[in-house]
Amino acid sequence: MTKNILIIGATRGLGASLATHYASLPSTSLVYATTRSSNPPPSFPAPSKNDAHKKIRWLLNVDISQPDIGSILTTQIRPDNATLDVVVVSAGYFGFESFDAPDWEKQVTMYTTSAIGPVFAVQALVKSSLVKEGGNGKVILISSESGSITLRHQSEGGGNYGHHASKAALNMVGKLLSLDLKDKGIAVGLVHPGFMRTEMTRSVGFDKYWDQGGAVTPEESAKSLVDFVENDFDLSKTGTYWAPRGPGDIGTAEPVLGKNLSTPLELPW
C-alpha cells in the first residue's frame, strides 16, 4: 500500500530533506510539500533519473504563522480526494536572544510558528477527514530537546527564552492533540530530529558547536526520522517525545539522565 505524506515547511533544511527522502521511497505515492511563496522554490533539486521528485506536489502560500493556515492547506489538498498517512510539521524559526537582549517580536514569531500554528493546521486537516484514521494516520511535530524542562542544566546556561519555551509549548500541544485524536486512531508524536548543520543553526551562531556537538546534515536527520516514524512509532506511542538518533547530540542527556542511554531515546518533558 502506497502512502501520501504532507511536509509543512519543506523549502529548506530538514523539511526539504524529508520531502526528498519520502519521495525516494517506493512506498510513497505522493508528497505534499508546503512553501510560503506563491511559487515552488527554485533552489529545490530537479527531478533525478528515477523521477522521485515527480512525486512532490507543492502547496503554495502556506504560512503556519498565519490564522488561515488550516483553510489554505485543506483547500489545496481536498480536490485530490486523498487522505494523508503522515503529516510532519517541520516549519520553524529560531531567533537568538540573551538575558541582556530579549526580543519581543522574535518571541511572538517563535511561539506562533511552533505552538499556535500547528494546532490550527492539524485541526483543519482532521476535521476535513484528510488524515487517515483507524490506527493508520500519524502526525509528527518537529520539536527539540531544548523544549525539555528536565534536560535544562546549569552547564548550558539560560537565554534563548522564546526558542526553548516555544518548543516546550509545542510539546504540550502535541500531548493535548494526542488525547483529542487517540479515539480517531491518529498517533501524535513529538520528535527531536537531532542537532543539524543548517542555515538556521548557523544564523544563531551555533555552527561553532557543529563538530563538538555531533551535528549531522539534514539528509542524515531526515533518514533517521523517517525510519523511526515508519518502523517504531505507532498509536501505542502517541503523545510521547523522542530523539530517534539517541542521546549523542544532547549535551545534557548524560548529566541529567545518566549513562548507557538507549537509541531511540524517549525524552523527558
Side-chain angles (χ1 to χ4, degrees):
M1 180 183 296
T2 57
K3 297 181 177 182
N4 296 316
I5 313 297
L6 169 62
I7 310 295
I8 300 177
T11 57
R12 61 178 184 169
L14 177 63
S17 294
L18 285 169
T20 300
H21 186 71
Y22 262 118
S24 73
L25 300 179
S27 59
T28 298
S29 176
L30 184 64
V31 176
Y32 292 95
T34 78
T35 174
R36 290 180 295 172
S37 174
S38 56
N39 295 292
S43 60
F44 205 77
S48 59
K49 289 183 180 179
N50 64 10
D51 291 332
H53 286 96
K54 288 185 177 179
K55 293 182 180 180
I56 298 176
R57 178 185 162 194
W58 285 96
L59 305 181
L60 309 178
N61 302 307
V62 178
D63 187 342
I64 202 165
S65 70
Q66 297 302 310
D68 62 358
I69 174 66
S71 62
I72 293 293
L73 275 175
T74 57
T75 297
Q76 295 184 71
I77 298 173
R78 192 184 292 115
D80 290 348
N81 197 29
T83 52
L84 302 166
D85 296 85
V86 179
V87 176
V88 182
V89 182
S90 183
Y93 168 67
F94 190 160
F96 185 81
E97 300 176 284
S98 67
F99 178 74
D100 292 327
D103 190 298
W104 186 281
E105 292 302 324
K106 285 180 180 178
Q107 289 206 23
V108 169
T109 300
M110 284 184 275
Y111 280 106
T112 304
T113 301
S114 290
I116 299 176
V119 174
F120 289 85
V122 173
Q123 190 266 359
L125 292 168
V126 172
K127 286 293 186 179
S128 297
S129 300
L130 293 176
V131 182
K132 282 192 177 176
E133 301 184 6
N136 296 312
K138 300 176 184 180
V139 174
I140 303 299
L141 305 176
I142 302 301
S143 184
S144 167
E145 58 86 13
S146 64
S148 168
I149 294 175
T150 300
L151 287 175
R152 302 289 54 82
H153 188 271
Q154 184 64 37
S155 62
E156 69 167 15
N160 288 319
Y161 303 99
H163 175 68
H164 287 57
S166 66
K167 292 302 184 182
L170 172 62
N171 290 343
M172 178 60 82
V173 163
K175 183 67 175 182
L176 296 175
L177 284 172
S178 76
L179 300 176
D180 285 329
L181 300 183
K182 187 171 185 179
D183 286 347
K184 293 182 178 294
I186 299 173
V188 181
L190 293 310
V191 174
H192 164 63
F195 182 31
M196 286 179 286
R197 298 171 183 262
T198 63
E199 285 305 310
M200 180 181 289
T201 57
R202 186 196 300 274
S203 70
V204 293
F206 282 10
D207 51 324
K208 63 186 176 183
Y209 303 120
W210 282 354
D211 292 336
Q212 174 187 344
V216 297
T217 65
E219 292 78 12
E220 291 172 298
S221 176
K223 184 180 186 306
S224 58
L225 194 155
V226 171
D227 287 347
F228 172 76
V229 171
E230 295 300 320
N231 300 314
D232 293 315
F233 184 77
D234 57 25
L235 198 59
S236 70
K237 293 185 174 71
T238 192
T240 53
Y241 177 29
W242 291 86
R245 299 186 62 82
D249 67 349
I250 304 174
T252 61
E254 286 195 355
V256 174
L257 303 176
K259 297 185 180 297
N260 301 317
L261 298 171
S262 63
T263 298
L265 176 66
E266 183 171 4
L267 298 177
W269 305 110

